Amino acid sequence: MASPPIPSPPLLRVLLPLPLGQPLSYAPPANQPLPQPGMLVRVPLGNRESLGVVWDGTAEALAPGKTAKAIQAVFAEVQPLEPALRGFIDWMAEYTLNPPGAVLRMCLPMPDALIGPPPSRTVLDMAATLPELRPSAARQRVLSMARERPGLSQAELAEAASVTPAVVRGLVTAGALVQRAVASDHRQPEPEGDAPGPQLSEGQRAAAEQLSAAVAAREYNVLLLEGVTGAGKTEVYFEAVAEALRLGRQSLVLIPEIALTQAWLDRFERRFAGQAWAWHSELSPGRRGETLRAIAAGRARVVVGARSALFLPYADLGLIVVDEEHDASYKQEEGAIYNARDMAVVRAKHQGIPVILASATPSLETLQNVKRGRYRHVPLPERHGGASLPDIAAIDMRKQGISRQRFISPALQMAMTETLAQGEQAMLFLNRRGYAPLTLCGACGHRLQCPNCSAWLVEHRGRGRLLCHHCGFQARQPDACPSCGEADRFKPCGPGVERLAEEAAELFPEARVAVMASDTMTTPRHIVELLDRVARREVDILIGTQIVAKGHHFPLLTLVGVIDADLGLAGGDPRASERTWQLLTQVAGRAGRAERPGRVLLQSFMPEHPVLAAMARGDAQGFLAAELDERRRAGMPPFGRLAALIVSGPDQARVTQAGRDLARRAPQGSDLRVLGPAPAPLNFLRGRHRERLLLKAERGVDVPALLRVWLSQVALPSGVKLSVDVDPYSFL
């Protein structure tokens, strides 16, 4: 009797960090234990190799006569991706209509950094016996620093001793310093959960106890920490971080701007007598690899980062904090499109941990979730230390009689004069970078436009360049008009912060003026240095874009002037009023944060607008109630659902045809409506024509499922790309 056939081992599903729609099937590795879900493996892919993750579920059987390639290597020493993270990846891919492999790529941005030993680097130590050396002050500084801080690299030692690298190399050659190789992954002082914090007020202490209790409960919970500007929200959520440290768990704090990272890290180190780890796009590849390994191994106890930090493979995540949860920077607009605030809530749910949303001006979606009982409200209604909120008033620019080439009104100028005379500081806010947002020819009216976008070129006089803020195109301003040929007739139209600084310097020649914008503050350290100058009273007038609104504390700043309070209210953006309210409230919150009272002046050509009128009245609740009621009547979020479809390509005719094909196949129903296609507000961007469709549905509609069916019925022409944005935030 013939022996029964030996069954073939089951095929395994392996998800690769590539934009693939589903895991691929592979045979188990020969002569090795069967890899389990979550393990990192190396697999063949065409004529190359790729790292991937063994996924859940059973692979489909191959067609007769087909064979599967085998997994080449299993990295059992690498911490597997836990089920919670794999479930989050699957959920996010389905909800946002992104390929699961593209989401995995965000979780494993440098998979090679997790396998094998970390790279090594060369460091220097003092020799056991010093040779005879010709004495010099530079050499003595190097030797003294090497004695105090052994294990620095050549560059680090030269910087610490304030000498050139040649001095250090000379000491190595002479035998006074010896080299040794060490693993490049550095160790940094770990934060102490029991480190004493500042004295909290009664209200702060009550809020901190609620947040800490949520961490200790080890359960999913969403808490809105809502506090007025200057209420001390950071110190309050630091208590929740301290609780996670005491429990030996990791914490993630998301912040909206990379430029804020260093100031946050410095504040954290003062509070916890140790260091947090940073994650953002400005890190060097080596530092990113170190940080990723520390996160996966659990050595990174606290991580602060931009939105991409949300997806990393934490060993034991116990808390997520989303600071300034309302901020638009949390929305990723390209590639895999998502809102990091919303995805933080989803990841916390999969992990079974609390997430804290902190803001002085929470989004309407978050406030509505509090009303529905889905989120817990933790309020901080008073400023810390007895400081009062600033007085806010609007300046009607229609009555100021100001010259077209001037942007600081007489009323604001007078307030600045009084402020500076009292030895206090003033801030001017204008949310426009550069010198002027538009340059035109005074002879024929020709406007200098980006060749790749339907946008004007912005003059940056400090750089001597014209820049496109959408695609990065830059050029020198031409000597003659390209339209009429007239020379030296170009005129700047409107102000940017550079032009405003020029005017402030003319009006107040004795004042020390500084500009704070994302293009002038090129690194987080530059931000810290400027903040230190302000704190040391080396700046009298600070001029900035929205970066000045992000939680900075200036004790002597008592006056804030908003140059163009109407700037964000134009256009058809349904979130325009909410965004303007949030931004102006945050900017106003920089004034009067210590003993001296503050005031805020809003320059406006329509001070009767509901946003500005409510701010002048101090009626936040009235404005928010009216805005929510308007959204409810219009069926807009948070009472309805939206999804945007952007069709783009270099050939305008093909883009137009693709938009029409999508419209013809659009879903029908009494609970939904499809608008468009129509040219997007930025209808030409980075060399691609753009058309937009908008799906508007009631809250109960499963929008992602509806979109998948819809899009499966339409084949796009060659060269045409479709981007899907579920829950869009921007309408450009």
Side-chain angles (χ1 to χ4, degrees):
M1 182 176 179
S3 300
I6 299 175
S8 301
L11 297 178
L12 300 174
R13 303 171 76 233
V14 177
L15 185 61
L16 306 182
L18 300 169
L20 302 175
Q22 60 184 3
L24 303 180
S25 298
Y26 288 93
N31 304 319
Q32 294 187 50
L34 190 69
Q36 298 302 304
M39 283 188 169
L40 194 65
V41 296
R42 180 183 287 121
V43 297
L45 182 66
N47 58 0
R48 59 190 178 98
E49 299 175 348
S50 175
L51 293 177
V53 177
V54 178
W55 220 244
D56 303 279
T58 304
E60 295 182 4
L62 295 176
K66 296 286 186 179
T67 58
K69 294 181 178 180
I71 293 172
Q72 296 173 328
V74 180
F75 300 99
E77 71 280 4
V78 177
Q79 181 75 20
L81 261 63
E82 58 183 353
L85 180 52
R86 302 198 303 274
F88 170 64
I89 291 171
D90 284 336
W91 187 96
M92 179 175 165
E94 184 174 356
Y95 184 82
T96 62
L97 274 70
N98 283 299
V103 182
L104 177 64
R105 179 67 179 173
M106 295 191 292
C107 301
L108 296 176
M110 303 177 68
D112 289 329
L114 296 175
I115 62 175
S120 63
R121 66 188 187 117
T122 300
V123 299
L124 302 174
D125 296 319
M126 289 275 290
T129 304
L130 287 179
E132 290 190 13
L133 299 168
R134 186 178 61 184
S136 75
R139 284 182 167 183
Q140 289 301 321
R141 288 200 305 273
V142 172
L143 293 175
S144 176
M145 187 59 64
R147 188 179 298 109
E148 294 174 12
R149 298 174 61 187
L152 296 179
S153 69
Q154 175 182 291
E156 291 167 342
L157 187 54
E159 181 180 1
S162 300
V163 301
T164 64
V167 176
V168 180
R169 286 197 299 269
L171 290 171
V172 173
T173 303
L177 297 174
V178 294
Q179 299 177 327
R180 62 184 171 93
V182 298
S184 66
D185 283 355
H186 76 283
R187 301 282 174 162
Q188 57 189 38
E190 289 195 0
E192 301 173 7
D194 292 324
Q199 185 70 34
L200 300 181
S201 68
E202 183 177 342
Q204 288 176 321
R205 194 180 314 111
E209 288 173 355
Q210 291 188 61
L211 303 185
S212 299
V215 175
R218 296 174 179 258
E219 296 176 347
Y220 166 67
N221 207 336
V222 186
L223 303 100
L224 169 62
L225 177 61
E226 181 183 10
V228 296
T229 54
K233 293 180 290 296
T234 303
E235 293 299 342
V236 170
Y237 75 64
F238 271 174
E239 294 302 308
V241 173
E243 180 65 21
L245 285 169
R246 288 190 286 267
L247 295 173
R249 308 196 74 186
Q250 293 171 294
S251 297
L252 165 64
V253 179
L254 296 179
I255 57 178
E257 296 276 359
I258 293 175
L260 304 175
T261 307
Q262 191 59 52
W264 191 98
L265 288 169
D266 292 345
R267 185 172 183 178
F268 179 90
E269 187 170 359
R270 291 192 297 270
R271 166 65 178 84
F272 289 101
Q275 295 176 356
W277 294 72
W279 180 271
H280 52 72
S281 60
E282 297 298 319
L283 296 179
S284 67
R287 183 60 172 159
R288 285 170 68 85
E290 290 176 353
T291 305
L292 184 61
R293 286 188 292 272
I295 287 171
R299 290 190 290 108
R301 304 287 304 282
V302 179
V303 177
V304 60
R307 55 183 180 249
S308 59
L310 174 65
F311 302 95
L312 301 178
Y314 298 89
D316 186 16
L317 190 58
L319 170 67
I320 301 174
V321 178
V322 184
D323 206 349
E324 307 289 359
E325 66 89 30
H326 65 277
D327 200 285
S329 300
Y330 286 122
K331 181 71 177 188
Q332 168 71 31
E333 299 280 7
E334 296 180 347
I337 299 175
Y338 63 90
N339 189 315
R341 177 201 64 206
D342 299 341
M343 293 304 106
V345 172
V346 175
R347 179 155 194 188
K349 185 172 184 179
H350 278 83
Q351 302 276 168
I353 61 173
V355 56
I356 298 169
L357 309 179
S359 177
T361 53
S363 64
L364 292 182
E365 286 86 350
T366 295
L367 290 173
Q368 189 62 20
N369 277 322
V370 169
K371 288 186 176 182
R372 292 170 179 156
R374 299 179 63 188
Y375 296 175
R376 195 199 311 177
H377 191 214
V378 182
L380 287 172
E382 298 178 353
R383 280 188 157 181
H384 182 60
S388 59
L389 290 170
D391 293 328
I392 301 176
I395 297 175
D396 190 341
M397 297 296 287
R398 296 168 298 191
K399 301 177 181 179
Q400 287 293 299
I402 190 171
S403 162
R404 288 189 177 184
Q405 299 304 312
R406 290 291 182 181
F407 307 100
I408 298 174
S409 66
L412 178 55
Q413 181 181 347
M414 182 181 299
M416 294 174 68
T417 301
E418 295 170 356
T419 298
L420 297 177
Q422 294 168 2
E424 299 168 351
Q425 294 166 312
M427 174 192 289
L428 298 180
F429 172 76
L430 175 62
N431 204 20
R432 280 202 191 107
R433 292 179 285 152
Y435 186 84
L438 171 64
T439 301
L440 58 77
C441 174
C444 70
H446 176 77
R447 301 181 179 191
L448 296 179
Q449 183 172 333
C450 175
N452 306 317
C453 306
S454 52
W456 312 126
L457 291 174
V458 178
E459 180 183 359
H460 286 250
R461 188 160 291 186
R463 299 191 203 178
R465 309 292 283 177
L466 298 169
L467 271 68
C468 175
H469 288 172
H470 298 284
C471 74
F473 172 84
Q474 56 180 291
R476 186 180 62 84
Q477 182 169 301
D479 296 324
C481 175
S483 178
C484 70
E486 289 284 329
D488 300 323
R489 296 297 301 274
F490 287 114
K491 295 181 178 180
C493 296
V497 286
E498 292 178 15
R499 194 174 189 184
L500 190 59
E502 184 178 274
E503 181 176 343
E506 292 176 4
L507 294 174
F508 304 97
E510 302 300 321
R512 295 161 296 181
V513 179
V515 174
M516 189 173 177
S518 59
D519 53 345
T520 60
M521 302 284 105
T522 54
T523 68
R525 179 53 64 185
H526 287 159
I527 292 281
V528 172
E529 290 171 355
L530 178 54
L531 296 180
D532 288 343
R533 287 176 54 206
V534 177
R536 293 194 303 266
R537 302 183 64 175
E538 295 174 3
V539 173
D540 300 309
I541 302 172
L542 180 62
I543 298 174
T545 60
Q546 62 179 352
I547 198 171
V548 302
K550 313 280 186 173
H552 306 302
H553 180 70
F554 307 116
L556 277 175
L557 197 154
T558 59
L559 173 67
V560 169
V562 178
I563 297 303
D564 189 351
D566 312 330
L567 185 59
L569 295 172
D573 188 342
R575 287 192 172 92
S577 292
E578 178 190 8
R579 285 178 172 174
T580 302
W581 167 270
Q582 290 165 339
L583 182 57
L584 295 183
T585 300
Q586 294 282 344
V587 172
R590 301 315 104 200
R593 294 169 68 96
E595 295 82 7
R596 306 189 189 196
R599 54 177 169 164
V600 180
L601 298 177
L602 309 174
Q603 292 190 167
S604 171
F605 285 92
M606 46 180 182
E608 68 280 358
H609 190 282
V611 171
L612 304 179
M615 290 199 68
R617 294 194 309 270
D619 187 14
Q621 296 307 313
F623 165 75
L624 293 172
E627 187 70 11
L628 279 169
D629 184 60
E630 186 173 334
R631 297 267 190 97
R632 183 185 293 107
R633 287 186 280 105
M636 298 294 286
F639 304 100
R641 303 286 310 279
L642 295 177
L645 281 67
I646 297 289
V647 185
S648 66
D651 186 314
Q652 187 172 15
R654 290 189 176 191
V655 170
T656 300
Q657 186 59 49
R660 291 172 179 170
D661 291 343
L662 282 165
R664 277 194 291 269
R665 295 285 187 175
Q668 305 292 323
S670 59
D671 53 358
L672 57 91
R673 184 183 178 194
V674 174
L675 307 175
L682 276 174
N683 54 52
F684 188 58
L685 185 66
R686 301 185 183 94
R688 300 177 70 87
H689 300 275
R690 304 167 75 238
E691 296 235 347
R692 183 184 187 96
L693 296 94
L694 189 68
L695 171 67
K696 186 170 177 284
E698 295 182 2
R699 281 192 69 232
V701 174
D702 186 345
V703 168
L706 193 71
L707 289 170
R708 279 191 294 274
V709 174
W710 178 12
L711 301 183
S712 68
Q713 301 173 2
V714 180
L716 296 176
S718 174
V720 173
K721 176 184 175 183
L722 174 65
S723 295
V724 180
D725 185 358
V726 180
D727 304 326
Y729 203 82
S730 169
F731 290 83
L732 293 179

